Amino acid sequence: MKNILVLPGDGIGPEITVEAVKVMKAAAEAYGFKLSFDYARIGADAIIKDGNPLPEQTVEKADKADAILLGAVGLPQFDGEKDPNRRPEMGLLGIRKKMQLYCNIRPIRIYDTIKHLSPLKEEIINGTNFVIFRELTGGIYFGEKGRSEDGQTAYDDCSYSVHEIQRIAKLAYEEAMRRDKKLLLADKANVLETSRLWRETVTAMNKEYPEVTLEYQYIDNAAMQVVMRPSQFSVIVTENMFGDILSDEASVIIGSLGMLPSASYGIKTALFEPSHGSYPQAMGKNSANPMATILSAAMLLQYIGYEQAAKAIEAAIDVALTQKICTIDINPAHPASTSAVGDFIAQQVYASVSVKVN
Ligand code: IPM
Ligand code: MN
């Protein structure tokens, strides 16, 4: 029995994780495996109830879990807080660091059924299917930070070790081998020493993966290419800050922010979450799109070894999109509720098994 820790978090987090759990339970029943679910607090929810965005109990449970599903963190009432114990995103950064979730994977694929919603022209996004491997526990996010005594100067150190680069590059190379054997390193090696170490390290590793064609793009160019010719990409590997910006940029080109899952692999376990935020305006309205979270749950099932169930969930999402059983972001004329979308996908997952049996 696999043990899944659910961290609903803030805003729409609780609503969308309920739907993902519903679909995972349907998948477990349909495909004949057992899952147990445990819950813990993170983000604003934890600040309010425990006085800390990442309570010790949450870390203890995360440590024991086979995989973690997270909703979202962040509430506007905490915007501008200086005390780290009152900043919801410190829960997220904290769990990434504590669990050493060093590799964040964000797949970007186009759904034909919603590509008319993309801000880009159809001929530009056609054929887009790539994945960003973002380093998640190093770089400027976690370097030393501070202010000078007079408060007039601030700094955030950026440092990377060969080990930190190698462990994520290995996963990116392996993904390139599963795809079309193309790997792109996005960096700023014309300016930054850390980027030069990334280039040296990732280039040296190419010897172990001789079939992979390694290419390089400066991050500013890569950011332009994502909107000019996104179909050129296959696997992109990059450091933490560049990866944050590039993946958030990439997430909007598919037509809805509510469609993109993510996985963060660590040393011991992995965490799965939608790429979008906590969308507090929609909180409690049963209107937010649960698909990114449900797709994250599919990635989770794949990670713990239930590939068939994961595929069934992805196929069920395709059916929901084709039949327009979608929330307001995708079907504004006849929107379905968050829970109705979850119900439909769960039913489809059941049906996928009976179809095979008959
Ligand atoms: C993300 C988010 C986080 C990040 C924030 C909430 C700290 O933007 O996961 O992309 O910057 O990593
Ligand atoms: Mn981001």
Side-chain angles (χ1 to χ4, degrees):
M1 164 122 76
K2 300 283 185 182
N3 168 20
I4 296 166
L5 178 66
V6 184
L7 306 174
D10 309 322
I12 57 169
E15 296 158 60
I16 54 181
T17 46
V18 162
E19 300 315 314
V21 170
K22 186 188 282 175
V23 172
M24 281 193 277
K25 284 184 174 163
E29 204 165 302
Y31 287 84
F33 55 87
K34 284 205 160 56
L35 300 173
S36 75
F37 294 93
D38 196 3
Y39 291 81
R41 288 191 283 270
I42 195 166
D45 181 37
I47 298 176
I48 293 162
K49 294 178 185 141
D50 310 289
N52 170 354
L54 186 64
E56 195 45 48
Q57 208 203 9
T58 301
V59 178
E60 278 166 21
K61 287 185 174 186
D63 216 37
K64 293 197 198 104
D66 291 303
I68 305 164
L69 181 77
L70 178 102
V73 297
L75 275 191
Q77 73 191 83
F78 294 98
D79 283 354
E81 282 282 353
K82 291 206 176 68
D83 176 359
N85 276 326
R86 293 188 58 78
R87 297 179 60 93
E89 66 276 14
M90 290 307 287
L92 187 56
L93 295 174
I95 199 162
R96 287 175 182 171
K97 195 68 181 172
K98 280 241 160 82
M99 302 306 298
Q100 281 291 297
L101 303 171
Y102 62 87
C103 178
N104 180 236
I105 303 172
R106 292 184 176 178
I108 317 287
R109 67 163 269 214
I110 296 295
Y111 292 88
D112 283 343
T113 34
I114 63 162
K115 66 182 177 191
H116 60 281
L117 297 171
S118 170
L120 302 183
K121 293 190 196 99
E122 230 179 278
E123 62 264 32
I124 290 182
I125 58 162
N126 274 342
T128 295
N129 184 348
F130 65 97
V131 58
I132 299 178
F133 278 62
R134 166 190 174 193
E135 203 291 326
L136 205 58
T137 51
I140 199 166
Y141 270 62
F142 293 98
E144 204 185 303
K145 33 189 106 252
R147 296 271 176 108
S148 61
E149 254 166 48
D150 64 3
Q152 296 303 296
T153 309
Y155 60 91
D156 298 273
D157 271 359
C158 181
S159 88
Y160 269 108
S161 68
V162 167
H163 168 69
E164 286 174 309
I165 300 166
Q166 276 173 344
R167 63 183 180 178
I168 181 171
K170 179 174 186 291
L171 297 183
Y173 268 113
E174 285 167 1
E175 179 68 10
M177 287 300 290
R178 282 189 291 269
R179 291 188 173 227
D180 58 1
K181 303 188 169 57
K182 267 175 60 188
L183 177 63
L184 180 93
L185 170 63
D187 64 23
K188 194 76 188 170
N190 51 345
V191 179
L192 302 177
E193 197 54 34
T194 41
S195 283
R196 288 191 273 271
L197 187 64
W198 272 78
R199 269 206 191 195
E200 273 167 45
T201 309
V202 177
T203 306
M205 287 173 75
N206 205 178
K207 280 193 210 79
E208 294 157 51
Y209 304 89
E211 289 166 66
V212 175
T213 307
L214 176 65
E215 291 176 347
Y216 315 91
Q217 256 174 33
Y218 293 139
I219 185 65
D220 45 356
N221 182 26
M224 292 191 276
Q225 297 297 329
V226 162
V227 289
M228 277 168 33
R229 211 163 59 81
S231 60
Q232 72 185 279
F233 296 118
S234 182
V235 182
I236 302 177
V237 64
T238 190
E239 60 105 87
N240 201 345
M241 182 84 218
F242 298 158
D244 176 43
I245 299 168
L246 201 66
S247 66
D248 284 347
E249 182 197 11
S251 76
V252 298
I253 69 174
I254 78 157
S256 167
L257 260 180
M259 293 303 300
L260 280 180
S262 84
S264 302
Y265 282 27
I267 290 165
K268 244 178 124 167
T269 186
L271 179 147
F272 300 80
E273 58 174 318
S275 288
H276 59 70
S278 61
Y279 194 20
Q281 304 89 317
M283 171 174 153
K285 294 189 178 151
N286 198 18
S287 68
N289 188 347
M291 287 181 174
T293 317
I294 294 172
L295 287 165
S296 303
M299 292 178 88
L300 184 157
L301 293 184
Q302 162 114 33
Y303 170 76
I304 58 175
Y306 302 118
E307 187 165 352
Q308 249 196 322
K311 291 247 151 49
I313 294 174
E314 284 168 9
I317 295 256
D318 287 338
V319 177
L321 289 169
T322 308
Q323 297 191 16
K324 298 197 165 51
I325 316 288
C326 299
T327 43
I328 193 160
D329 51 319
I330 294 179
N331 188 356
H334 303 283
S337 67
T338 307
S339 52
V341 171
D343 286 342
F344 180 84
I345 294 167
Q347 272 160 22
Q348 285 296 312
V349 171
Y350 277 123
S352 69
V353 170
S354 53
V355 167
K356 238 173 259 135
V357 169
N358 292 336

